[in-house]
């Protein structure tokens, strides 16, 4: 965690809050703390808004929330060397990266599909042009000719 305040305290919700309550708290705080709409200084507003955004991202995802809750329970039992980095949790005793990558969106899949089609067409087109020019390729290296 970047600060001592827990994600639940940052959002102002209880630990058993539902996703709907988390979303309501996030929307309320994002309107209050957004650098474009707040009366706070820009640096302070950015920092607080980023904390709220990080808290919401980690608590809204059920897997990350479960990991976070386990870490809070473990931390309350004993001090453990744990470092939180964005959506990844690095446990210094195990050195495992635990995190979830989001799946590709429909737009990203379509862009990848178009990219594959364009590369395939370019390869086919280059083979087609090379076959009709009739030029033979020099496949013998120059150092072998001597």
């Amino acid at each position: 965690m970047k600060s001592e305040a827990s994600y639940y305290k940052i959002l102002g919700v209880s630990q058993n809050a539902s996703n709907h309550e988390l979303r309501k708290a996030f929307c309320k705080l994002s309107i209050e703390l957004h650098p474009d709409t707040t009366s706070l200084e820009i640096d302070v507003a950015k920092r607080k808004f980023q904390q709220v955004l990080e808290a919401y991202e980690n608590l809204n995802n059920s897997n990350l929330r479960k990991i976070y809750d386990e870490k809070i329970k473990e931390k309350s039992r004993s001090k453990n060397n744990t470092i939180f980095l964005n959506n990844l949790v690095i446990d210094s005793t195990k050195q495992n990266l635990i995190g979830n990558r989001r799946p590709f969106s429909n737009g990203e899949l379509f862009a990848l599909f178009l990219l594959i089609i364009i590369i395939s067409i370019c390869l086919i087109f280059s083979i087609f042009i090379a076959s009709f020019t009739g030029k033979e390729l020099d496949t013998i290296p120059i150092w072998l000719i001597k």
Side-chain angles (χ1 to χ4, degrees):
M1 275 184 299
K2 291 183 180 178
S3 63
E4 290 300 316
S6 73
Y7 290 152
Y8 295 105
K9 288 180 184 176
I10 291 172
L11 290 177
V13 295
S14 65
Q15 279 192 319
N16 55 3
S18 66
N19 284 345
H20 179 68
E21 292 171 352
L22 288 173
R23 180 157 175 76
K24 281 176 62 175
F26 171 71
C27 290
K28 178 184 168 195
L29 288 172
S30 64
I31 291 171
E32 290 176 9
L33 297 175
H34 195 277
D36 293 338
T37 60
T38 189
S39 61
L40 296 173
E41 293 182 23
I42 292 177
D43 295 335
V44 175
K46 281 182 182 179
R47 184 172 33 84
K48 287 185 177 186
F49 184 73
Q50 287 174 347
Q51 287 176 346
V52 168
L53 184 62
E54 179 182 347
Y56 178 70
E57 285 177 348
N58 282 300
L59 294 180
N60 192 39
N61 185 328
S62 61
N63 293 333
L64 292 176
R65 185 175 183 176
K66 190 183 305 180
I67 292 169
Y68 180 73
D69 288 341
E70 289 172 4
K71 290 296 178 182
I72 287 178
K73 289 177 187 175
E74 184 179 312
K75 187 175 181 182
S76 65
R77 283 186 228 133
S78 66
K79 289 287 184 181
N80 189 6
N81 296 330
T82 303
I83 304 167
F84 287 79
L85 297 174
N86 291 339
N87 291 337
L88 296 176
V89 178
I90 301 175
D91 190 350
S92 63
T93 59
K94 298 178 185 175
Q95 291 299 321
N96 290 333
L97 293 179
I98 304 170
N100 293 343
R101 297 189 62 101
R102 64 173 180 78
F104 287 126
S105 68
N106 290 338
E108 292 168 333
L109 286 174
F110 184 68
L112 285 173
F113 176 71
L114 285 179
L115 185 63
I116 291 170
I117 287 178
I118 289 171
I119 290 173
S120 301
I121 290 173
C122 289
L123 286 172
I124 292 169
F125 190 65
S126 63
I127 292 171
F128 182 74
I129 289 175
S131 67
F132 279 114
T133 57
K135 294 182 181 177
E136 291 190 26
L137 298 175
D138 292 330
T139 55
I140 301 175
I142 297 175
W143 57 271
L144 280 178
I145 296 176
K146 293 181 181 179

